[in-house]
Amino acid sequence: MTDTALESLYAYPPDRTWVTANFVSSVDGAVSVDGRSAGLGSPADRKIYLLGRELADVVLVGAATVLIEGYRGARREKPLPIAVVTSRGTLTPDLPLFTDTTVPPIVITCAAARMPSLPADVIIAGDTEVDLGVAVAELAARGLRRVNLEGGPRLFGSMVAEGLVDALNLTVSPLLAVGDATRIAHGQVVAPVDLTLESVLRADDVLLLRYQRRNSS
């Protein structure tokens, strides 16, 4: 498939706020190998990952994922801001997220968090916990309506529980990763969310699946 066709297939709908989650998992459902998602990666997955960033207005990610995966800020021609969700003061100004970037990150937190002074656009969304609905609305108010949710599993689970995820791009890596790794969504028990399968692509033994929540349009 050509790059233009891929962009058309994975494009965000116009004129509305839309959250697309992007994850890779093993065939048996593991979200990481040795604690990181890189062990599940492939050139095909990398291409969809970069395309997700190219099409989005903002990357949304949890603080734990930033620390584990060593996130850096936007360094490409398109200054894509990274929005980090944290209810605690785990972020420090010496992280590459803040020191290696061309655009200031966004930190989404709550009033009770003891955050150090950070070179970021800080959004207070909630009192003791982050109100994710408010967070998404605040991003949209800044013109950041195409949201690329990159994890981790706990943030994804919370976003699903709040009905805030419209679509999921899931790469299935041809691995059995037996161990204690979590699944792509983790958190409170909620009613299953009905999805429609929008597309299936295959790159050798890797499957690239694109789902949409049934009542999103």
Side-chain angles (χ1 to χ4, degrees), residues 15-182:
D15 304 323
R16 62 157 294 177
T17 300
W18 188 272
V19 178
T20 297
N22 282 276
F23 278 88
V24 58
S25 80
S26 65
V27 171
D28 56 325
V31 75
S32 62
V33 174
D34 295 329
R36 299 188 63 183
S37 61
L40 298 168
S42 64
D45 175 60
R46 179 70 175 171
K47 186 167 187 174
I48 297 302
Y49 167 80
L50 292 175
L51 177 61
R53 289 194 163 202
E54 185 64 33
L55 296 174
D57 297 321
V58 62
V59 168
L60 184 64
V61 64
T65 299
V66 166
L67 297 174
I68 292 170
E69 302 286 350
Y71 264 60
R72 298 179 181 275
R75 292 174 295 159
R76 303 175 303 134
E77 291 183 3
K78 177 186 176 181
L80 182 71
I82 310 295
V84 185
V85 177
T86 177
S87 294
R88 298 162 184 83
T90 56
L91 301 175
T92 57
D94 59 337
L95 290 172
L97 177 72
F98 301 110
T99 63
D100 190 3
T101 184
T102 58
V103 59
I106 299 168
V107 173
I108 304 172
T109 188
C110 57
R114 296 182 177 180
M115 298 295 299
S117 178
L118 297 171
D121 177 8
V122 178
I123 295 173
I124 304 298
D127 296 325
T128 59
E129 295 291 335
V130 174
D131 185 321
L132 294 171
V134 172
V136 172
E138 286 288 340
L139 292 176
R142 288 162 168 76
L144 307 175
R145 303 176 69 181
R146 297 176 295 181
V147 181
N148 180 27
L149 173 59
E150 292 185 355
R154 187 169 295 279
L155 177 58
F156 182 35
S158 297
M159 293 282 288
V160 170
E162 295 295 324
L164 295 170
V165 177
D166 299 289
L168 167 65
N169 299 333
L170 176 64
T171 299
V172 180
S173 177
L175 296 173
L176 293 172
V178 178
D180 60 358
T182 187

